[in-house]
Amino acid sequence: MTTFADIAPALERQAIELPSWAFGNSGTRFKVFTTPGTPRTPEEKIADAAKVNEYTALAPTVALHIPWDMVDDFAALSRFAEDHNVKLGTVNSNTFQDDVYKFGSLAHSDPAVRRKAIDHHLKCLEIMTEIGSRDLKIWLADGTNYPGQDDLRARQDHLAESLQEIYSQVSETQRLVLEYKFFEPAFYHTDVPDWGTSFAQVSALGDRAYTCLDTGHHAPGTNIEFIVMQLLRLGKLGSFDFNSRFYADDDLIVGAADPFQLFRIIVEVIRGGGLEVDSPVQFMLDQCHNVEDKIPGQIRSVLNVQEMTARALLVDRPALTAAQEAHDVLGANGILMDAFYTDVRPALASWREERGLPADPMAAYLASGNQSKIAAERVGGTQLSWSA
Amino acid sequence: MTTFADIAPALERQAIELPSWAFGNSGTRFKVFTTPGTPRTPEEKIADAAKVNEYTALAPTVALHIPWDMVDDFAALSRFAEDHNVKLGTVNSNTFQDDVYKFGSLAHSDPAVRRKAIDHHLKCLEIMTEIGSRDLKIWLADGTNYPGQDDLRARQDHLAESLQEIYSQVSETQRLVLEYKFFEPAFYHTDVPDWGTSFAQVSALGDRAYTCLDTGHHAPGTNIEFIVMQLLRLGKLGSFDFNSRFYADDDLIVGAADPFQLFRIIVEVIRGGGLEVDSPVQFMLDQCHNVEDKIPGQIRSVLNVQEMTARALLVDRPALTAAQEAHDVLGANGILMDAFYTDVRPALASWREERGLPADPMAAYLASGNQSKIAAERVGGTQLSWSA
Amino acid sequence: MTTFADIAPALERQAIELPSWAFGNSGTRFKVFTTPGTPRTPEEKIADAAKVNEYTALAPTVALHIPWDMVDDFAALSRFAEDHNVKLGTVNSNTFQDDVYKFGSLAHSDPAVRRKAIDHHLKCLEIMTEIGSRDLKIWLADGTNYPGQDDLRARQDHLAESLQEIYSQVSETQRLVLEYKFFEPAFYHTDVPDWGTSFAQVSALGDRAYTCLDTGHHAPGTNIEFIVMQLLRLGKLGSFDFNSRFYADDDLIVGAADPFQLFRIIVEVIRGGGLEVDSPVQFMLDQCHNVEDKIPGQIRSVLNVQEMTARALLVDRPALTAAQEAHDVLGANGILMDAFYTDVRPALASWREERGLPADPMAAYLASGNQSKIAAERVGGTQLSWSA
Amino acid sequence: MTTFADIAPALERQAIELPSWAFGNSGTRFKVFTTPGTPRTPEEKIADAAKVNEYTALAPTVALHIPWDMVDDFAALSRFAEDHNVKLGTVNSNTFQDDVYKFGSLAHSDPAVRRKAIDHHLKCLEIMTEIGSRDLKIWLADGTNYPGQDDLRARQDHLAESLQEIYSQVSETQRLVLEYKFFEPAFYHTDVPDWGTSFAQVSALGDRAYTCLDTGHHAPGTNIEFIVMQLLRLGKLGSFDFNSRFYADDDLIVGAADPFQLFRIIVEVIRGGGLEVDSPVQFMLDQCHNVEDKIPGQIRSVLNVQEMTARALLVDRPALTAAQEAHDVLGANGILMDAFYTDVRPALASWREERGLPADPMAAYLASGNQSKIAAERVGGTQLSWSA
């Protein structure tokens, strides 16, 4: 039997990067609701992210989105983060909000538009060098809405060339991570719709190019843990964008829609070495807190990942292997379910206290008064959202 | 064999209502792109809708969205429409953009919010009376994002009560039409997710309450023509919101994603009497022209419906029935496909010319120079979109 | 806080009917694998079902499938069951395996075929009267594979007439329960594809006609607990066919694919009174144990339902309502999740022992040697499957 | 403008392989209906396939399924085919109907089972050599039904090793083609679920290993033409299994469910060179005629592919490219739709007559009396189906 003491070292290593944009307002095409206390500057976003880390010790880094987090002095932003006990992490590019990108960016048929999009990524690499960030994460809104609107094959070739040029500027200590997405904002085709496409593209680039798996970016019914297994097996799983969904890319709190799926995903991460010391896998959230408070939403999210990781680590591997080899279907499944149904929360609470953390980070944060404090302080200015 | 002459009378009756909002800008949560010439006033939207009717004679009415089309003087707006040879049609309510509706409207747990939402609908009924509109169309964004967030059963009861109060003010010559939607903007549950719920709710109201079927509002794989058949059989199909989709509620041009599905839907409309003189079925578009021009997009849409209706009318009904009764699977299917594969475009072109319309309305509109004209004229002001 | 003592009475009332056919062989169109010890007679199926009840006290009744469970002397079969401490329950009709039903049964265009199908149901009612069974459950394979193959509207009318004739023979103490299914074995349309159709049909019949909800019979992404809520609200939820699925009608062990969905479903059952003493809701399994052992598969299934019911009963209702009314999204969701993540297994084990049952019914059954015993005894004869 | 004369050479080259098993009975797990005249021997299947070719000149080869088409003398079978003016083509292996394969074949954890499955494939290669067949097509039923049942990663590695051993025996003139499938008969995971997995596996093998794309083996909503484009771009599209679906792997007649999708797929085939003289792409049907007659069903299928190919070839490529480069969304889409809506049937009928074929192959076959002839002749014996 695996005990909590056995799994504590792995839990102690666990780090989940927070996206700066999760602290800004978000919504749907129908409405973006605002919330009191929403940040008006990149610094306020980082301060909020730092609160999550303060209460959980799970979120030591903050991912930036350029240009949403564009500042004049990135060195200063970096120091601001360190003053709040977090570091700046992955840099996410954005080629979907300029008018010029209406019909694509890195896959666009016009070389001038591709040039502009490539240059944006080179600028991101410069920022990364300045702040010591390792990963350039590329998610593209490129695609079309109508059959015939553009040439799928030519676009894929354009994409390959654009990525090649960007990759040529990725330094030895940096990585390029290419995300895929089933649909949205394009509604007929997207240029990187599935893991196979991302895998083919990054394999053509080289060793420092990886795939990013966003848990909300698949067709209905897709067995995501299989893809996790396969990408780890192929050495190409670079990062996770965690969230959850009932329908499309709902961007709900990770673990909220299908906790058992999250469990199975983490079981495969562990099986493939993704939690080990030298793992190439970067864990990150990518969520939208449309109707719930943002800092508590992020706390809930990292706790969900932590709790599910604890359950996944508790799987009795020798017993599981024995049952699998005996083709004891119900026995093997039962061993997995035993771990899933184990209530790890009391043990985690004690363990947190041993480490000087609140036993219940959610309750502690809510009791701290920070939510009213920022609501009172952050008056005036413009609350940040996806459009700025 | 059915000939074009046989089907012309039904085609002549065909009318497809245009949504005023289709002429404003729309987009996704990622970006709303603007287009030169986009209307800045309700009048400009109506003028654009009138252009569609001018070139096609298919779109004699324009649906309003309140408050997006709120004006001080609806009588004047009505005259403006008539001066452009169209009439104002269905009034669509909107209870999803006020901050107070963050957690629902007609299904909200707070009586004060429900009161406000009910009053909005009563105001819509007043406008309808003023402009001689028959249909109040209700689409609700009500729903929740997380399990447990609210009580599904209580919300359904609140909804029933709210609808009852609105229905009590629907006059003898008016109708209430309740739309359903699978998901979005709510991502865990919506309060009217399927035709069954709309049917149960409107059946409880009375004879002048109907269901609205939006072709993009179903689960993947749903047989929509079956629902058309069933609602016509039950006497509750009030209106169609036409559009098309590959994934979710993509709101693409009707017929663009799956033309054969549109054909099958119209076949069932005809089978159930929905194209007959006294049919209760109102045809309407509900689309978003995110990347294509809006007036041509609407022209393409009404033509798609007309062309598919012509094909559906050409189905050799006696032969089909004979093959069906003989359980000649391939024969019956073949008769349907024959109609679908018939190229009705030449006959429609001639028929349009006989009626003083351009043979090719798309080409004629594009050649008219109207697109450049409105782009040149409509400078300054604020282009309208969903948020205003 | 709700305690285990609070919820024990409801758990004690819980009864889950077992389908006789779950003990026979089943598979896919590709292959039906056999298992040693599979029953060769209806009596052996009942004996196996009785084993499940012996170890769990959760399964006091066995559903029959006619003609799969056809015997000359139903009174004798009934006594056989009682001798094994179970009773015969729901009778399931079967109109999908005679050649004459190739193109439908109750919805067939040919009155002679409908006559035969109706008569089959009248025969089922006779058997029900003989064995004291309350429910006639009707699941139809009726549908078509190709557009145009048959007339959807006429079939729906035929179905209504056929059901009316059957319903007219349902006695005061009996009920008719109509199941719906999204697809399979028909691949274009099914005649009862969704809850709305079943609801419309049974509403037209009368008070003793209900809907059966099979958890595997929905489109991808369907919010099943919403349908549970709605059918309970409308007074038409007659029974559940429990199973689970990742893709289609996979008929896996209930709770195996998405335990959190099962939890949400039972939460709505409780919310709507479905576990109360006078509830009209009959719980039943409908599963296929293609690769796992059958008796243990059924034990695992009823335990999954029991454990999830315990979790659902533990939801802190007053706290949940308070959080819902305060629109505390994360708080309300958290209260629900607290119950889901509670490990109820130790308390259930103790409670079982108090009642003279094994603490761990799965382990106890496996240790009993029954599996080898039946494998050794049941040699020769023909193992039963869906085709006999 | 492209004319019919321009496209005739490509149409003349078109060849669609027929699966021998399409002429046997097939069905669902609920029932396999029989049809008069169904073959009882591999020879009768080949004779039926030859009929399809006789009336259409579209189906010069017949694919075998081993062991369903196992005969003592393959040279004789080959001569039998040639006497009927067809040739034997692709050999399909079968590792899903022996009891030993209950838990997998090439991916099984037990080396002895893998050995047996590998040997089966080596035997297939021997048969291929004997009959001069180029392609060994591998579709695997391997997978699991329950999370935890087996180790996904180990299975993937076993699969790679097994394929490597088989591939080592593929001669210079032969190819290995690996099919993928989303689900069924396994309901939790399949070992080759998507094109990415097949691509990764065949890329590791070598130049004579390709992917097979079955149009019914994808998640709902998948953009299949994108995968066609990508596999052609990567040089790994080996063959197509054509069929159509509304829900799952329905195996309906190709083009029956979504003709526009079939059009888009063939447009991408042409765009990627898949119809050119030296194309590596083998076209093949893989369908189940559960309720319709089999020979007419296959004739309808090859005609659907031919008609859609004619439409796809008619796309005005220069105009399309110009509209795409101008980002004329509606114009480009309109050019595609023009080709789709062109009624190519009259031109095809004339062209067939010029070539000594019946103008309407379906009508000609039905009038030939062959269907009654085989029904009368083939009395006694055992009709073939998937299980033999």
Side-chain angles (χ1 to χ4, degrees), chain B residues 137-160:
Chain B
K137 181 140 61 76
I138 304 179
W139 170 71
L140 297 170
D142 288 50
T144 60
N145 277 4
Y146 291 98
Q149 178 184 330
D150 209 348
D151 186 78
L152 305 188
R153 170 72 173 264
R155 291 178 72 98
Q156 198 68 205
D157 293 335
H158 293 319
L159 173 61

Side-chain angles (χ1 to χ4, degrees), chain C residues 155-206:
Chain C
R155 291 178 71 98
Q156 198 67 204
D157 292 335
H158 292 321
L159 174 61
E161 288 163 33
S162 298
L163 289 173
Q164 183 55 56
E165 184 165 349
I166 296 165
Y167 186 73
S168 72
Q169 302 301 312
V170 171
S171 79
E172 288 298 316
T173 57
Q174 294 173 336
R175 312 191 309 173
L176 180 158
V177 185
L178 181 63
E179 195 163 333
Y180 59 93
K181 186 172 183 183
F182 186 49
F183 81 100
E184 196 214 20
F187 294 127
Y188 164 57
H189 106 279
T190 64
D191 288 297
V192 191
D194 51 24
W195 79 264
T197 295
S198 176
F199 171 68
Q201 288 281 0
V202 301
S203 296
L205 293 178

Side-chain angles (χ1 to χ4, degrees), chain B residues 103 108-110 145-154 156-157 160 182 188-197 199-201 219-223 225-227 229-230 232-234 260 264 268 271-273 317 320 323-325 327-330 332-334 336-337, chain C residues 103 108-110 145-154 156-157 160 182 188-197 199-201 219-223 225-227 229-230 232-234 260 264 268 271-273 317 320 323-325 327-330 332-334 336-337:
Chain B
F103 298 109
H108 198 287
S109 61
D110 183 342
N145 277 4
Y146 291 98
Q149 178 184 330
D150 209 348
D151 186 78
L152 305 188
R153 170 72 173 264
Q156 198 68 205
D157 293 335
F182 186 49
Y188 164 56
H189 106 280
T190 65
D191 288 298
V192 191
D194 50 24
W195 79 265
T197 295
F199 170 69
Q201 287 281 0
T222 301
N223 184 324
E225 59 269 28
F226 181 92
I227 300 175
M229 174 281 290
Q230 188 69 277
L232 281 166
R233 176 179 174 271
L234 296 166
F260 183 47
R264 300 192 311 264
E268 284 306 321
R271 170 66 179 85
R317 276 278 160 195
L320 180 62
Q324 288 173 342
E325 290 180 355
H327 302 300
D328 177 1
V329 175
L330 291 169
N333 176 249
L336 199 77
M337 299 312 291
Chain C
F103 298 109
H108 198 287
S109 61
D110 183 343
N145 276 4
Y146 291 98
Q149 179 185 330
D150 208 348
D151 187 77
L152 305 188
R153 171 71 173 265
Q156 198 67 204
D157 292 335
F182 186 49
Y188 164 57
H189 106 279
T190 64
D191 288 297
V192 191
D194 51 24
W195 79 264
T197 295
F199 171 68
Q201 288 281 0
T222 300
N223 184 324
E225 59 269 28
F226 181 91
I227 300 174
M229 175 281 290
Q230 188 68 277
L232 281 165
R233 177 180 174 270
L234 296 166
F260 183 46
R264 300 192 310 264
E268 284 305 321
R271 170 66 179 86
R317 276 277 160 195
L320 181 62
Q324 288 173 341
E325 290 181 354
H327 302 299
D328 177 0
V329 176
L330 292 168
N333 176 249
L336 199 75
M337 300 312 293

Side-chain angles (χ1 to χ4, degrees), chain A residues 151 157 188 195 225 233 271, chain D residues 151 157 188 194 225 271:
Chain A
D151 187 77
D157 292 335
Y188 164 56
W195 80 264
E225 58 270 27
R233 177 179 174 271
R271 170 66 179 86
Chain D
D151 186 76
D157 293 335
Y188 164 56
D194 50 26
E225 58 270 28
R271 170 65 179 87

Side-chain angles (χ1 to χ4, degrees), chain D residues 4 11 303 306-307 310 344-353 359:
Chain D
F4 194 84
L11 289 175
L303 295 178
Q306 182 184 51
E307 292 177 12
V344 297
R345 296 174 302 169
L348 281 168
S350 307
W351 180 70
R352 284 187 199 111
E353 287 188 318

Side-chain angles (χ1 to χ4, degrees), chain D residues 8-24:
Chain D
L11 289 175
E12 198 148 352
R13 277 198 300 277
Q14 190 161 46
I16 304 151
E17 191 159 292
L18 303 188
S20 68
W21 56 96
F23 300 95

